[in-house]
Amino acid sequence: EAGVAQSPRYKIIEKRQSVAFWCNPISGHATLYWYQQILGQGPKLLIQFQNNGVVDDSQLPKDRFSAERLKGVDSTLKIQPAKLEDSAVYLCASSLVPGVHEQYFGPGTRLTVT
Amino acid sequence: AQKVTQAQTEISVVEKEDVTLDCVYETRDTTYYLFWYKQPPSGELVFLIRRNSFDEQNEISGRYSWNFQKSTSSFNFTITASQVVDSAVYFCALKFSTGKLIFGQGTTLQVKP
């Protein structure tokens, strides 16, 4: 069974530029999550989708971050414009039933903002 | 407050030593799940174990064992006879009915040969 796929794996941009990350969850997983992991910290949930609807985006900085999951499968997370403090690893995860099953994580995208 | 605390930032042991990673959580929910994840240098989070709030049985899986105690809100993880390949960052996490995971700060384990 294929795992959660993410691309790109690494990205370096200058502050005020835009960037987008892509995630393809495990087939059949209706729930998709985006996490931000700053160096030395645990992952923090940015947004949770159930199919193509948003369940929780309470910690998403909506003035600069946006995410979509138009067809209920792939998802894109965008930052526009980026700030230095956005440097982090962005992890995508998916699960079968959100309240019960474990989340499976992708390899992450390491973003460096200079 | 909903919170997970991993007080040990870094632990260093010599191969074959046993090591315990501590996790203390806070929640007002009566139904919740606790998890441990491993994050090797490659960066991917690897699921190790899930435990629901109604199941306080300890669990053993090979060299890994987990001790869940609701009375002290703790879910500790022990590696017996540690190996160099166990070197990683380990995260304890608390999950609510919506699926949202709250992670601790992580414990970096270094196992020296």
Side-chain angles (χ1 to χ4, degrees), chain A residues 33-36 43-45 89-91 103 105, chain B residues 101 103:
Chain A
Y33 311 80
W34 282 103
Y35 289 86
Q36 179 192 57
K44 180 184 81 173
L45 179 70
V89 175
Y90 290 85
L91 294 162
Q103 295 176 22
F105 285 81
Chain B
L101 272 175
F103 286 84

Side-chain angles (χ1 to χ4, degrees), chain A:
Chain A
E1 179 183 87
V4 177
Q6 289 187 249
S7 68
R9 291 296 312 276
Y10 304 92
K11 190 76 177 177
I12 300 174
I13 61 172
E14 294 181 355
K15 59 183 178 186
R16 291 188 288 275
Q17 285 187 326
S18 302
V19 65
F21 312 128
W22 173 83
C23 172
N24 188 310
I26 292 173
S27 178
H29 281 195
T31 311
L32 185 147
Y33 311 80
W34 282 103
Y35 289 86
Q36 179 192 57
Q37 187 177 16
I38 292 171
L39 187 66
Q41 298 182 18
K44 180 184 81 173
L45 179 70
L46 291 176
I47 189 167
Q48 176 184 346
F49 290 96
Q50 181 67 22
N51 296 307
N52 60 350
V54 175
V55 174
D56 185 345
D57 63 357
S58 56
Q59 297 191 92
L60 186 74
K62 298 180 186 64
D63 57 334
R64 299 183 301 105
F65 285 64
S66 64
E68 59 183 17
R69 194 183 183 201
L70 292 175
K71 296 181 181 177
V73 181
D74 293 8
S75 177
T76 303
L77 177 70
K78 295 180 182 176
I79 308 175
Q80 180 179 11
K83 292 185 175 180
L84 295 176
E85 58 260 37
D86 298 332
S87 294
V89 175
Y90 290 85
L91 294 162
C92 180
S94 69
S95 69
L96 199 53
V97 177
V100 176
H101 295 104
E102 55 271 21
Q103 295 176 22
Y104 292 90
F105 285 81
T109 296
R110 183 176 298 277
L111 173 67
T112 302
V113 182
T114 62

Side-chain angles (χ1 to χ4, degrees), chain B residues 98-111:
Chain B
T98 60
K100 179 175 181 175
L101 272 175
I102 292 180
F103 286 84
Q105 293 287 83
T107 297
T108 300
L109 174 64
Q110 184 182 32
V111 181

